[in-house]
Amino acid sequence: MNQNFDIIIVGGGAAGFFTAINIVEKNKNLKVAILERGSEVLNKVRISGGGRCNVTHACFEPNELVKYYPRGEKELRGPFHQFCSGDTVEWFEKHGVELKIEVDGRMFPVSNSSQTIIDCFLEATKKLGISVITNQSVQSIFQKDTFWKVETQSETYIAEKLILATGSNPKIWEMLQTFGHAIINPVPSLFTFNIKDSRIKELPGVSTLVSVKVKDTKLETSGPLLITHWGMSGPAILKLSAWGARILNDKNYQFTIFINWLNDLDAETVFNTLKELKIENAKKAVSKKSPFEITNRLWESLSIAAGIESETKWADLSKNQLHNLTNQLTNSTFQVNGKSTFKEEFVTAGGIDLKEINFKTMESKLHNNLYFAGEIVNIDAITGGFNFQNAWTSGFIVANAI
């Protein structure tokens, strides 16, 4: 037996719920259903931001905000002028959720719990009479006359308008290809680097501000780097992984990076500083205390790598050792062998080709009354609340258009 709705939204995640709520708030007469393939909804919201949900970022200028999107920068400029981070803050406040800004610009619920966002969405859908139907794995989608037909393993749903908010779902992408949409092959976007190296083996938990380059590419960035048990993570590494998603995939995640542990200090400046320290600290042991803004443990490790024994005095350093130490500090070479998923927040680069979407409405250019919200399209961002902002903006624009 067919179930009829005005609008069907496939995908019970952040983009799907946000879109549904905005649609019905604008027109309470519309009959809307959210279809979720699993037994629970909003799972990605639950685990995001370490269970706190990084709702958005405190970048309130659309032309600046787009710069955080390796894929989608040009296309999102117009949408962000319609609904930006400030609008997100206002929307959640209207729905009883106050957000706070952290030092790095990330924004979280004041409660520090993703459950606050989940409760907000569930209460709104219940209040607005939106049908949330779980355990509905979509088997086929097709357009018949002026209606869309969605078949799951147990039901058939019919609606005038169809919104796909399924994120990185290969099965849905395959269905879209059957009726003409081009899919940009997905590759991992946010990931950490697997590195086995004696210099960092004993330093998990050490974090410092660095600049990083990938050998034989134009990829380079700066920011905090975190040494982990498996290699390297932190904003600097995650930014590189996002901007270099396709390049690093082509390299099969086997590549060389250069790290300047002193971020913006160049080799000549550092070498001259070390020569001065050799005179000023003549009788002191080199490896005992870091003269730069890196931890003593990291300084000691790099000193050893430069061929300086633990009790060596500054006065005893040779010119060759000074050069080696300068090189370790400003141009350390590390071999990356593989990647690890960043926490549980799996983000991909890839999805529906952006040329096939009208970004004023988020409607398909190939099929009337077919809309997209969230990561199903070839848009992704660096970490920091930006991927959620794309979900809120695209959901708002779909709702507005409908």
Side-chain angles (χ1 to χ4, degrees), residues 7 35 41 44 59 61 68 82 86 128 132 134 142 195 198 207 219 256 258 265 273 398 401:
I7 299 162
L35 307 183
V41 293
K44 196 168 182 181
C59 177
E61 169 53 48
Y68 293 94
Q82 285 193 57
L128 295 167
V132 180
T134 55
F142 53 95
I195 299 169
S198 59
S207 178
L219 294 170
T256 300
F258 303 114
L265 291 183
T273 302
V398 170

Side-chain angles (χ1 to χ4, degrees), residues 193-196 230 252-256 334-340:
F193 295 174
N194 293 353
I195 299 169
K196 285 187 177 177
W230 60 88
N252 199 29
Y253 308 106
Q254 309 287 319
F255 54 93
T256 300
F334 290 88
Q335 182 61 39
V336 177
N337 293 299
K339 60 173 177 54
S340 295

Side-chain angles (χ1 to χ4, degrees), residues 282-351:
K283 295 182 180 179
K284 294 180 180 177
V286 176
S287 64
K288 294 303 179 192
K289 192 172 190 313
S290 170
F292 298 101
E293 290 185 12
I294 58 173
T295 67
N296 291 335
R297 290 168 63 206
L298 177 58
W299 166 257
E300 183 180 13
S301 180
L302 295 175
S303 299
I304 292 167
I308 301 166
E309 293 179 5
S310 60
E311 297 305 318
T312 303
K313 302 286 190 290
W314 278 97
D316 298 329
L317 287 182
S318 66
K319 191 174 182 181
N320 190 45
Q321 285 175 315
L322 287 174
H323 277 297
N324 287 345
L325 185 53
T326 300
N327 197 49
Q328 285 295 336
L329 288 164
T330 63
N331 198 34
S332 283
T333 304
F334 290 88
Q335 182 61 39
V336 177
N337 293 299
K339 60 173 177 54
S340 295
T341 302
F342 175 58
K343 297 182 181 176
E344 292 143 311
E345 298 175 38
F346 190 71
V347 175
T348 59

Side-chain angles (χ1 to χ4, degrees), residues 119-180:
D119 291 344
C120 167
F121 286 162
L122 293 178
E123 285 167 19
T125 50
K126 189 176 179 182
K127 180 182 170 185
L128 295 167
I130 297 165
S131 300
V132 180
I133 311 168
T134 55
N135 298 309
Q136 297 299 309
S137 176
V138 173
Q139 305 301 306
S140 67
I141 296 171
F142 53 95
Q143 200 171 18
K144 187 178 181 185
D145 301 323
T146 58
F147 291 91
W148 285 94
K149 198 171 184 180
V150 178
E151 291 181 338
T152 70
Q153 79 282 22
S154 58
E155 298 283 347
T156 300
Y157 299 91
I158 295 174
E160 183 187 344
K161 298 180 191 296
L162 175 63
I163 301 162
L164 298 180
T166 47
S168 305
N169 185 327
K171 188 176 172 184
I172 298 296
W173 280 332
E174 283 173 22
M175 290 180 200
L176 284 168
Q177 281 178 309
T178 63
F179 45 91

Side-chain angles (χ1 to χ4, degrees), residues 236-264:
I237 297 300
L238 294 169
K239 272 194 276 185
L240 266 192
S241 75
W243 290 101
R246 297 209 168 274
I247 295 168
L248 302 182
N249 178 72
D250 291 344
K251 291 178 177 290
N252 199 29
Y253 308 106
Q254 309 287 319
F255 54 93
T256 300
I257 59 173
F258 303 114
I259 296 179
N260 182 340
W261 295 102
L262 306 179
N263 189 23
D264 53 1

